[in-house]
Amino acid sequence: MPVRLAALAAWIVGCAMAWPAVAADPAPPALTLDDAFVRVARAHPDLRLFGAQTDLLLAERDQASLKPALRAGLDIENVLGTGATRGFDQAEVTLTLAGVLERGGKLDARRALAQSRIDALSVQREAQRLDLLAETARRYLAVAAAQAQADIGRLDMEQRRRTVAAARHRLQAGASPESVVLTAEAALARAEMSVDRATQQEHAARQHLAALWGERDPAFLLAAADPLLTPAVPELEELAAWLERTPELAGFVGEQRIREARLQLARSAATPDLDWQLGIRRLQESDDTALVGSLSMPLGGTRRAQPEIRAAEAELASLGLERESRDVSLYSTLVQAHGRYRVAQQEVRRTAQDVLPRLARAERAAQRAYGAGAISYLEWAQLQSEHTAMQRQQLDAALEAQSALIEIQRLTGQPFVAGAGASGQGTSP
């Protein structure tokens, strides 16, 4: 019997070795901020909508380029009357061709208005693109923030586990009551809850990010990056110079062309058009034919066009004030974002250089002192909590800096910002 069992075991092992190995699931792809930008630019409907809008404006331009249509007509006179005009015996038939002779440059004005709307669309698309990619960077940053919070929580868990182990050791030695162990275990449980919360936040933030390109079940992981990195940015004066070329202000150039074209179209309406008509008339009585024609023009066109002209002039005059107001608003936002970044950047650096190293040394010294019975559990636990709280405060400052950088990039459109998780060089929407 043992021989048979050994043979059976050998056969099972041989079959297991001969059975093809199941391929492991490939690791999910690492998503950089640049990758997220590409996905949004390719798939987001707000950007793809500009293609349909371009087609619409091109069709409107083609329609605006059409001249007034010719009209063919047929007039019949002296029919179905009484006496000599009874029936169709005295009928006179006139075949006409009529049209409108546009004056005042109306055709060119319509073309200019349609073309200016097409030209302005590209600036609108660029502004929309920057807004969308800034939102992408914010959502990407939210995923990176949740991951960093989870990492801090895991470090805190490790600290709490050491505390629990030390408290149990002292309890076994009779140097510490059981309440200390229970308190340390409760602190460990709170640290575990913090990690679970950050993990759930990361999952929700990843879904929120993937929704920008229509992905319902995201499987990507963020590329490794340091969320505490705060790159250098130019001074406020240089940023303000870039602000002058932002799409939000460049759009006023296109809007000015549109309003100038509307004004020209309104002025062209002051010149009346000529309605003309030519035809051939057959005279029933003499069986002869003759040419007929007419020319008409509406009166009072200049007076009727004045309200529309004044409205167009007012719109054009107000554009300068609108641009000035928008310039002040954008500059104020830029100043605020730049100041937020400088403050947060300084806090991140000082915390990393002066605060966290000292707290880390103090925590290690407290661990040794607690093991030797020189300090109480509360003193050690307080140092651990202070260390973890300072790490979270540093992360909050770094995220504030990253958020301010995203806003600066959205305003200036410059590629010097390296968002959290970006691939090395500065990333631009």
Side-chain angles (χ1 to χ4, degrees):
M1 180 65 66
V3 176
R4 292 182 179 179
L5 289 178
L8 179 60
W11 179 78
I12 292 175
V13 172
C15 290
M17 295 179 63
W19 193 263
V22 178
D25 293 336
L31 184 78
T32 66
L33 184 55
D34 288 333
D35 296 334
F37 285 160
V38 171
R39 294 188 184 189
V40 171
R42 183 175 60 243
H44 201 281
D46 284 355
L47 295 180
R48 291 189 285 116
L49 182 62
F50 280 94
Q53 292 177 340
T54 301
D55 295 339
L56 174 61
L57 293 179
L58 288 174
E60 291 180 353
R61 185 191 61 182
D62 294 341
Q63 184 179 11
S65 300
L66 296 176
K67 296 180 180 180
L70 296 176
R71 301 186 302 275
L74 181 66
D75 295 336
I76 303 178
E77 301 177 3
N78 302 330
V79 296
L80 302 178
T82 60
T85 60
R86 183 175 53 191
F88 292 90
D89 294 340
Q90 300 296 323
E92 293 185 353
V93 180
T94 305
L95 183 63
T96 61
L97 182 66
V100 177
L101 181 60
E102 288 186 316
R103 303 171 63 225
K106 294 183 179 65
L107 179 60
D108 293 336
R110 288 198 306 270
R111 287 173 177 169
L113 177 58
Q115 186 62 47
S116 62
R117 294 178 63 188
I118 294 174
D119 296 338
L121 191 62
S122 61
V123 180
Q124 296 173 14
R125 186 188 187 281
E126 180 63 16
Q128 180 67 34
R129 189 181 72 91
L130 287 178
D131 289 343
L132 267 176
L133 299 184
E135 178 63 20
T136 304
R138 295 187 192 100
R139 297 189 187 187
Y140 191 97
L141 182 62
V143 181
Q147 289 184 349
Q149 290 285 4
D151 292 339
I152 294 176
R154 293 185 186 96
L155 292 176
D156 190 30
M157 284 174 52
E158 292 301 322
Q159 291 177 338
R160 301 300 178 178
R161 287 194 180 103
R162 292 197 302 269
T163 306
V164 171
R168 287 174 179 171
H169 179 73
R170 294 195 63 180
L171 175 63
Q172 293 172 358
S176 178
E178 185 181 5
S179 60
V180 173
V181 177
L182 296 176
T183 303
E185 290 175 346
L188 174 59
R190 287 197 300 269
E192 292 172 347
M193 289 173 54
S194 177
V195 172
D196 293 339
R197 181 172 60 252
T199 301
Q200 291 298 323
Q201 290 174 345
E202 178 191 350
H203 178 71
R206 189 185 295 111
Q207 287 186 317
H208 195 212
L209 171 62
L212 284 172
W213 56 80
E215 188 175 354
R216 300 297 178 89
D217 188 17
F220 59 82
L221 296 177
L222 259 62
D226 183 8
L228 302 180
L229 180 64
T230 54
V233 297
E235 296 298 328
L236 184 60
E237 293 75 13
E238 186 174 353
L239 294 177
W242 283 334
L243 190 64
E244 293 297 322
R245 297 187 290 272
T246 184
E248 292 192 50
L249 293 181
F252 282 95
V253 178
E255 182 63 24
Q256 181 177 2
R257 295 193 184 101
I258 292 176
R259 296 190 184 187
E260 289 175 348
R262 286 176 180 168
L263 176 59
Q264 183 59 34
L265 186 61
R267 287 172 176 172
S268 67
T271 303
D273 298 332
L274 294 177
D275 295 330
W276 59 269
Q277 179 175 290
L278 291 175
I280 299 178
R281 175 174 295 176
R282 179 181 179 276
L283 304 176
Q284 181 70 15
E285 184 176 358
S286 61
D287 197 21
D288 293 328
T289 58
L291 290 176
V292 294
S294 66
L295 191 65
S296 63
M297 181 179 66
L299 301 178
T302 302
R303 177 176 56 82
R304 286 193 300 270
Q306 288 307 309
E308 187 174 357
I309 293 175
R310 291 199 303 270
E313 289 175 343
E315 284 187 351
L316 183 59
S318 66
L319 186 63
L321 295 177
E322 293 176 13
R323 188 192 186 284
E324 183 178 354
S325 174
R326 189 58 180 162
D327 191 8
V328 171
S329 176
L330 290 176
Y331 181 74
S332 299
T333 304
L334 178 64
V335 170
Q336 183 186 30
H338 189 265
R340 285 167 48 205
Y341 176 76
R342 291 299 192 197
V343 171
Q345 183 188 42
Q346 181 68 13
E347 182 176 351
V348 171
R349 291 178 179 176
R350 290 295 302 273
T351 302
Q353 294 172 0
D354 301 333
V355 182
L356 286 178
R358 290 179 171 85
L359 285 176
R361 291 196 299 269
E363 196 275 330
R364 290 192 296 268
Q367 181 179 359
R368 293 191 297 268
Y370 178 76
I375 63 172
S376 67
Y377 162 77
L378 290 178
E379 291 176 290
W380 185 17
Q382 183 178 4
L383 271 174
Q384 288 178 329
S385 299
E386 181 68 19
H387 190 198
T388 302
M390 188 53 61
Q391 287 177 317
R392 290 199 168 100
Q393 181 177 337
Q394 183 193 34
L395 177 61
D396 290 341
L399 296 177
E400 175 71 13
Q402 296 286 355
S403 178
L405 280 173
I406 292 172
E407 186 65 17
I408 293 173
Q409 185 178 22
R410 185 190 70 83
L411 292 171
T412 62
Q414 294 302 311
F416 57 83
V417 176
S423 56
Q425 292 86 10
T427 304
S428 174

